[in-house]
Amino acid sequence: MEICSKLKPSDDRLNPSWGEAELMMSLAYSYMSKKPADLNAAERKARRALEIVPYWHYTRDILLPQILAAKAKEKPMGSNSPVNPG
């Protein structure tokens, strides 16, 4: 990835780039899907993909919301529970 990120983009607008956004999206999905999930890494990769292609429907409207929902479920509920006067 490091080598590819240093490549000079083609001047030909029809020549596709090397696919960094697709790779970031795939990594985001992989981090979200592994057991246990690494949701922080998944979110970072999804946001990186959107920096490259902000209008990407799947990453913006499907994958990132799934990651954020999983993160919300993962948060501990201890901060909202009443204190047990022991």
Side-chain angles (χ1 to χ4, degrees):
M1 212 167 81
E2 184 178 333
I3 292 169
C4 292
S5 67
K6 294 177 182 177
L7 295 175
K8 180 182 178 289
S10 172
D11 292 331
D12 181 358
R13 301 289 287 162
L14 296 177
N15 189 17
S17 65
W18 63 272
E20 183 179 5
E22 291 85 354
L23 177 60
M24 292 296 126
M25 180 275 308
S26 295
L27 286 170
Y29 180 82
S30 295
Y31 279 121
M32 180 184 73
S33 299
K34 75 179 197 169
K35 302 291 182 213
D38 185 343
L39 298 173
N40 290 325
E43 182 180 359
R44 282 192 308 274
K45 299 302 182 189
R47 291 191 185 281
R48 177 66 185 130
L50 290 173
E51 287 174 8
I52 300 165
V53 184
Y55 53 84
W56 194 351
H57 165 70
Y58 174 74
T59 305
R60 182 190 64 204
D61 301 328
I62 298 170
L63 183 60
L64 186 57
Q66 287 177 346
I67 294 167
L68 296 176
K71 284 181 79 169
K73 286 181 185 177
E74 191 178 69
K75 286 186 179 181
M77 303 216 13
S79 60
N80 293 333
S81 61
V83 177
N84 184 359

